[in-house]
Amino acid sequence: MKILFFFTIMLFLSKAQAFTLNNNASAAFENNEVSINVDSNGCASLSVTAEEMLGYAEAAVEKFWNSVPTSRLKLKRGTLVNAASAFRTDLICQTGTNCTPNPALAVESNILIACNNNATNFSNTASVLGVTVPNNISGRNIVGALILINDNGSNTFESRSYDEKVAIVSHEIGHAIGLGHSPVDDSLMYYQSVATRFKLGWDDIDGLTYLYPTEQPFSGCGSIATENQGENLFILFTGFLFMLLVGDLTKKYLGRKKSF
Ligand SMILES: [Zn+2]
């Protein structure tokens, strides 16, 4: 009986969500296609060229974010753009705020990756590899987002393997499209050890699908009948479990009566 009870509870708990969002508005890009551009000035301290960074971004979207059939979002390799020098030196958030974006670094559209050496952005200059904020939001739409890679020479981005760099950039892209950290430790959006992730976890997929759901094509009455059938099957299955539970209790009750 205990197993049956546990199974019934699990049936209802299995829809719980764990992913978080990185803004209060549940904002997401309105366009289905979003480009990832890179500051052509590259990194001053890290031995990573702008062209290489563009390559990491391209690999990141192909390997991770573009592989989810339930998401409408298609990220694509953008171009090298000559960003203002403030992108390489300035704060990403205004001082003393819980990240109110610095308007001087607002990204006009799409996603921009730049290398930045501001020590306040990277409070731990060795271990924080990047910071990201959708810093141009209109209502519930992300218009532009900024990814800053830690360009302080002491951090470990440079010494990571190719796959690890791709995973790190991919985690930052997750923030740029509106996702926060996940408490589920096999997710790319888990706050630690992102470099060891080589595919999305179910929680990343849930978060992406929540923000960027694909629209179901209308296929006439057939699809409505199929949905009802699914619901009916679910009700039948739950009813069956309930009957088993009642049967089990009745047996127990009768069993007890007999013993008197
Ligand atoms: Zn993060």
Side-chain angles (χ1 to χ4, degrees):
M1 207 272 281
K2 268 182 194 164
I3 291 171
L4 188 63
F5 183 68
F6 177 73
F7 185 59
T8 310
I9 293 291
M10 283 307 290
L11 192 72
F12 290 101
L13 289 183
S14 62
K15 287 202 158 222
Q17 292 171 341
F19 62 84
T20 63
L21 306 173
N22 69 354
N23 60 83
N24 293 332
S26 299
F29 279 98
E30 192 176 16
N31 293 341
N32 289 344
E33 208 170 83
V34 174
S35 298
I36 303 176
N37 302 310
V38 170
D39 177 11
S40 61
N41 294 283
C43 306
S45 299
L46 304 180
S47 294
V48 178
T49 67
E51 196 64 48
E52 281 171 336
M53 192 64 82
L54 204 51
Y56 300 144
E58 185 179 20
V61 298
E62 292 308 325
K63 194 171 167 183
F64 293 90
W65 299 112
N66 283 355
S67 63
V68 179
T70 48
S71 158
R72 67 172 173 82
L73 183 68
K74 287 292 164 254
L75 294 162
K76 61 173 194 174
R77 177 190 172 107
T79 56
L80 299 183
V81 295
N82 186 13
S85 62
F87 284 89
R88 298 185 285 286
T89 55
D90 286 12
L91 283 170
I92 194 166
C93 305
Q94 293 179 35
T95 317
T97 66
N98 186 19
C99 205
T100 302
N102 174 2
L105 302 190
V107 175
E108 211 173 290
S109 63
N110 297 294
I111 296 171
L112 175 67
I113 302 179
C115 288
N116 178 289
N117 61 9
N118 186 296
T120 308
N121 284 335
F122 308 101
S123 48
N124 186 333
T125 54
S127 67
V128 180
L129 301 169
V131 289
T132 299
V133 175
N135 65 358
N136 186 355
I137 292 183
S138 171
R140 293 191 64 180
N141 296 329
I142 300 177
V143 180
L146 178 62
I147 297 174
L148 294 180
I149 300 295
N150 184 354
D151 193 22
N152 288 285
S154 56
N155 94 79
T156 59
F157 184 86
E158 191 179 312
S159 60
R160 304 297 182 111
S161 70
Y162 172 81
D163 283 339
E164 288 175 333
K165 284 173 182 151
V166 169
I168 292 162
V169 170
S170 196
H171 174 94
E172 296 307 323
I173 291 171
H175 288 315
I177 60 177
L179 291 170
H181 283 144
S182 166
V184 181
D185 64 6
D186 67 351
S187 304
L188 177 71
M189 295 314 293
Y190 189 58
Y191 66 99
Q192 279 180 331
S193 310
V194 295
T196 56
R197 313 290 167 205
F198 298 107
K199 58 180 183 174
L200 292 180
W202 61 263
D203 198 43
D204 302 313
I205 294 168
D206 273 2
L208 185 68
T209 306
Y210 174 79
L211 285 176
Y212 300 93
T214 24
E215 281 181 23
Q216 295 282 345
F218 180 70
S219 57
C221 293
S223 64
I224 295 167
T226 309
E227 274 173 27
N228 285 343
Q229 212 168 45
E231 277 170 25
N232 289 341
L233 277 173
F234 179 78
I235 291 163
L236 269 175
F237 184 55
T238 315
F240 176 67
L241 284 174
F242 181 69
M243 280 167 70
L244 279 176
L245 193 67
V246 170
D248 209 20
L249 284 171
T250 310
K251 244 190 253 167
K252 245 196 162 179
Y253 177 71
L254 288 176
R256 244 188 234 145
K257 267 200 131 177
K258 268 180 194 169
S259 68
F260 278 118

